Amino acid sequence: MNSVRSSSFAVIGAGINGAAVANELTRRFPAAKVTVFEKAATVAAHQTGHNSGVVHAGLYYQPGSLKARLCRRGVELMTAYAQAKGVPYEACGKLVVALDPDERPRLEAIFERAVANGVPDVALIGPDELRRLEPNAVGVLALHSPHTAIIDFAGVTRALIDDVQAGGGTIRLATEVTDVSVDAQGCVLTTRGPDDNEQTEQFDYVIGCAGLQSDRLARMAGGAAFPAIVPFFGQYAQLAPTHRQILNGLVYPVPDPAYPFLGVHLTKRVDGEMLVGPNAFLSFGRENYTGWQIGLKDTAAVLTNQGFWKFAARNMKAAIRELTAVVSRKKFLNGATAYVPKLDGAQATPITRGIRAQAMDEDGQLVDDFVIEHLGRATFIRNAPSPGATSSMAIAEYIVDEVSATHGLNAND
């Protein structure tokens, strides 16, 4: 085994996955040099700071998949960490609701997956129990996951970065990685800092956690062309205060296999607000959170991606449905009213949209599982969709285990 007494690690990205990886490195290798690079001026500036804050229990994922395994481990680690750090966390519970008998078989299949994945205390419940748990919700059958929780993922990220710095690590904000080269001896990063000057730095190992830019970062180092990131925005609306207490927890639809995304649901936040959403539509820019700052480079990358056109051809019906929800707030809210009839006529205000870093293969199929690519001394997260935030600390364990085993690293003091 090799000592990491003088080794250096670069972590690219200070979202929750990058922060978790950096924390795992400083915890496991206290003598090593760990540097986190983040092109934004703050941590958690992108996907981590633009999501609904749900700690997923592991209901939907293919048993045995990386998602299923790391989600359950991630819940354990996330819960313990939030409690230790005083980060807001509430196990409010979740209901996946079937509105009609045709949805029952799909809901029963989700229940079977949840049981296979080891999700604790899940149960199928009828209308009476559904009304007891959520008096304002309706349905013919529901899956109850009592330990699904809500959290402040940005708060977790800040706490992780604080721990990295307390452990001797360094955070370099407003510093963009513009190139990565890898050889047998290590990795060279080219970065552009706040002064707009470029510099090169040598590291023994690099771990990329770049979210919306993950494919571009990996390709800098010689990674595969696919999967490629195709950005989809998700718009949430915040219900008016009069409807803030309409639910005790979370209410989700049964996923429809005819549509590529989950559908509109109701999500309680740790600050007490109630959200409706999200829709899902192509984003004209990987960081176009306002909807107005169209990214020409990002849009061109989508339009020249043959896989995207194959995806679009297969999902035209879904695109039309989502577009109507984008342009009509009433249509958007109607999706939630079907589950909670008392929302009829409710007022809601759109909040800053999130953008999903959705990986797509060359045939236009959405990549469902986590994807991690190893390129010698560099490792890149290529796909970490939901439950990526929930699983972040487990993903960090997994990556550091793999890097340690591959390169014979030993955490000598």
Side-chain angles (χ1 to χ4, degrees):
M1 299 286 282
N2 298 322
S3 170
V4 295
R5 181 182 300 277
S6 58
S7 290
S8 56
F9 296 86
V11 178
I12 305 172
I16 195 167
N17 278 292
V21 167
N23 185 58
E24 184 69 15
L25 289 169
T26 55
R27 186 190 65 80
R28 201 178 303 191
F29 304 131
K33 174 186 174 185
V34 177
T35 305
V36 182
F37 294 90
E38 170 55 54
K39 74 173 186 176
T42 61
V43 305
H46 295 288
Q47 289 188 112
T48 301
H50 296 87
N51 66 56
S52 59
V54 177
V55 180
H56 293 283
L59 305 180
Y60 307 101
Y61 318 125
Q62 180 65 40
S65 66
L66 206 53
K67 264 190 180 184
R69 289 156 45 203
L70 296 185
C71 181
R72 288 306 314 154
R73 174 63 177 159
V75 170
E76 296 173 4
L77 294 171
M78 186 65 63
T79 303
Y81 189 78
Q83 291 172 345
K85 297 296 179 179
V87 176
Y89 182 99
E90 179 187 348
C92 61
K94 170 178 173 177
L95 291 168
V96 183
V97 178
L99 291 177
D100 59 64
D102 290 342
E103 293 181 321
R104 292 180 68 108
R106 298 204 303 272
L107 187 59
E108 290 165 352
I110 293 171
F111 172 71
E112 291 173 2
R113 281 192 172 190
V115 171
N117 289 336
V119 180
D121 302 324
V122 289
L124 288 174
I125 61 174
D128 291 342
E129 180 67 5
L130 169 60
R131 281 193 296 272
R132 187 188 71 80
L133 293 169
E134 293 288 3
N136 293 316
V138 297
V140 299
L141 185 70
L143 186 157
H144 182 215
S145 173
H147 304 296
T148 294
I150 52 177
I151 197 171
D152 176 7
F153 280 126
V156 172
T157 304
R158 290 189 291 269
L160 288 166
I161 291 296
D162 286 346
D163 282 352
V164 170
Q165 292 176 307
T170 302
I171 175 75
R172 301 260 295 274
L173 298 173
T175 303
E176 181 179 5
V177 174
T178 58
D179 197 20
V180 183
S181 63
V182 184
D183 60 30
Q185 283 68 51
C187 308
V188 175
L189 298 188
T190 303
T191 62
R192 182 185 297 114
D195 56 6
D196 210 35
N197 291 326
E198 284 197 339
Q199 62 174 315
T200 59
E201 299 174 66
Q202 177 89 28
F203 294 89
D204 294 306
Y205 306 96
V206 165
I207 301 175
C209 310
L212 287 155
Q213 307 295 339
S214 59
D215 55 341
R216 290 172 175 162
L217 182 68
R219 289 199 296 266
M220 289 178 190
F226 289 92
I229 295 299
V230 175
F232 289 85
F233 75 77
Q235 182 71 65
Y236 279 92
Q238 182 174 302
L239 288 173
T242 52
H243 288 87
R244 187 180 291 159
Q245 305 297 325
I246 198 165
L247 293 175
N248 298 313
L250 316 177
V251 171
Y252 278 57
V254 178
D256 187 340
Y259 298 98
F261 299 116
L262 189 57
V264 170
H265 44 272
L266 290 119
T267 307
K268 180 181 177 181
R269 271 194 335 205
V270 289
D271 62 3
E273 300 293 348
M274 184 69 68
L275 304 183
V276 178
N279 49 26
F281 200 74
L282 179 67
S283 175
F284 296 102
R286 298 193 183 196
E287 298 168 15
N288 181 18
Y289 299 111
T290 65
W292 298 107
Q293 299 172 338
I294 294 176
L296 297 178
K297 177 183 176 182
D298 297 340
T299 303
V302 172
L303 297 180
T304 57
N305 181 343
Q306 292 185 357
F308 168 74
W309 291 109
K310 294 176 183 178
F311 168 84
R314 290 194 300 267
N315 291 280
M316 190 57 66
K317 182 179 178 181
I320 294 170
R321 185 182 80 162
E322 293 298 324
L323 181 60
T324 60
V326 170
V327 300
S328 169
R329 194 177 307 172
K330 181 178 179 181
K331 177 75 173 178
F332 180 72
L333 289 173
N334 281 346
T337 303
Y339 297 87
V340 183
K342 285 189 177 180
L343 285 175
D344 187 32
Q347 299 299 307
T349 303
I351 62 174
T352 303
R353 62 177 54 175
I355 299 179
R356 182 196 327 253
Q358 178 60 61
M360 190 177 290
D361 67 21
E362 56 191 322
D363 293 322
Q365 300 291 338
L366 301 185
V367 180
D368 184 60
D369 207 358
F370 298 151
V371 177
I372 298 167
E373 183 176 21
H374 299 281
L375 299 168
R377 287 175 174 248
T379 298
F380 298 93
I381 299 177
R382 295 292 301 260
N383 191 45
S386 180
T390 298
S391 308
S392 55
M393 298 181 77
I395 291 172
E397 274 190 344
Y398 177 84
I399 287 176
V400 176
D401 282 347
E402 293 228 315
V403 170
S404 299
T406 300
H407 299 290
L409 301 184
N410 178 33
N412 291 333
D413 294 327

